């Protein structure tokens, strides 16, 4: 099951690479001489702010961007889909996550850079 989810994310990310992928962060300090790189690609192929809805509990939550986040390097691989909420960052959430490391390994600095660039 986990392998099929990783393969599904891999194909999604291959298609997503056609959009404007940005480098969020290259962590070189904690793992020399190895790195851990973090990338972001818009799910819809462009970085235009829009509004999407996700089901949360008994209602729906709005978000401004749906973003594919990919990390690869020394500590492992990560593939995830982030629903980014600009005005209230605490309402942002992971719609999906897979890989050898969890979303807990995504550096807060990378997400903060993403918010700074987009919001």
């Amino acid at each position: 099951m986990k392998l099929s989810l990783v393969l599904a994310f891999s194909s999604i990310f291959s298609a997503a690479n056609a959009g404007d992928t940005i480098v969020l962060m290259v962590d070189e300090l904690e793992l020399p001489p190895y790195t851990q790189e973090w990338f972001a690609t818009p799910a819809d192929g462009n970085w235009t702010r829009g509004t999407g809805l996700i089901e949360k509990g008994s209602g729906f939550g709005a978000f401004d961007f749906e973003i594919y986040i990919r990390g690869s390097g020394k500590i492992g691989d990560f593939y995830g889909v982030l629903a980014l909420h600009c005005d209230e960052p605490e309402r942002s959430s992971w719609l999906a996550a897979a890989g050898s490391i969890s979303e807990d390994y995504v550096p807060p600095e990378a997400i903060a850079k993403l918010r700074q660039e987009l919001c």
Side-chain angles (χ1 to χ4, degrees):
M1 172 82 165
K2 184 176 181 181
L3 178 61
S4 62
L5 185 57
V6 171
L7 292 175
F9 272 111
S10 296
S11 62
I12 288 170
F13 278 98
S14 297
N17 284 336
D20 289 332
T21 298
I22 60 173
V23 177
L24 293 176
M25 182 178 188
V26 177
D27 185 355
E28 298 171 327
L29 300 176
E30 294 182 27
L31 305 166
Y34 306 103
T35 62
Q36 182 73 25
E37 301 172 333
W38 298 95
F39 304 92
T41 305
D44 62 359
N46 66 60
W47 290 110
T48 305
R49 187 172 177 174
T51 301
L53 292 174
I54 54 175
E55 190 171 354
K56 285 189 155 194
S58 61
F60 289 91
F63 62 91
D64 300 302
F65 295 95
E66 185 174 327
I67 303 164
Y68 298 128
I69 304 290
R70 179 172 48 91
S72 62
K74 179 66 176 171
I75 62 172
D77 295 323
F78 173 79
Y79 310 93
V81 181
L82 178 66
L84 184 72
H85 194 285
C86 286
D87 298 329
E88 298 176 68
E90 66 278 359
R91 292 182 56 198
S92 298
S93 62
W94 291 101
L95 302 177
S100 59
I101 57 176
S102 73
E103 61 271 17
D104 297 333
Y105 283 89
V106 179
E109 301 87 8
I111 303 301
K113 179 181 177 187
L114 189 59
R115 275 200 181 83
Q116 182 181 16
E117 296 284 328
L118 298 178
C119 298

